[in-house]
Amino acid sequence: MKNLIKVGRARSNITQAELADKVKVSRQTINSIETGKFTPSTVLALKIAEVLQVNVNELFQLEDSDW
């Protein structure tokens, strides 16, 4: 699954640590999601989208390999 959290954070001018604090996870978790090492739960994905004020579909996109 492709994610655009880093782009969303840049648009919102928010650091990994700030985003992590707002969604109640570690900065390392945000980093792992951004680098594709970890796929967030639906709840976490929705929380991230809410904090960044975007639709979850704008942050997370399925790739052909996900099917």
Side-chain angles (χ1 to χ4, degrees):
M1 178 166 57
K2 179 180 173 184
N3 78 73
L4 300 171
I5 295 174
K6 189 172 183 176
V7 173
R9 282 192 310 98
R11 287 183 185 152
S12 297
N13 197 30
I14 188 171
T15 66
Q16 284 183 345
E18 291 168 331
L19 178 57
D21 186 55
K22 291 177 187 274
V23 298
K24 310 246 187 295
V25 298
S26 69
R27 185 202 58 78
Q28 290 84 355
T29 297
I30 298 299
N31 181 267
S32 292
I33 295 169
E34 285 186 2
T35 59
K37 295 176 184 170
F38 176 71
T39 301
S41 68
T42 304
V43 171
L44 181 53
L46 290 168
K47 286 179 181 180
I48 292 169
E50 186 173 319
V51 168
L52 297 178
Q53 299 179 339
V54 297
N55 186 299
V56 72
N57 290 337
E58 294 176 46
L59 289 181
F60 300 95
Q61 300 165 357
L62 289 176
E63 297 179 299
D64 289 340
S65 62
D66 295 323
W67 291 95

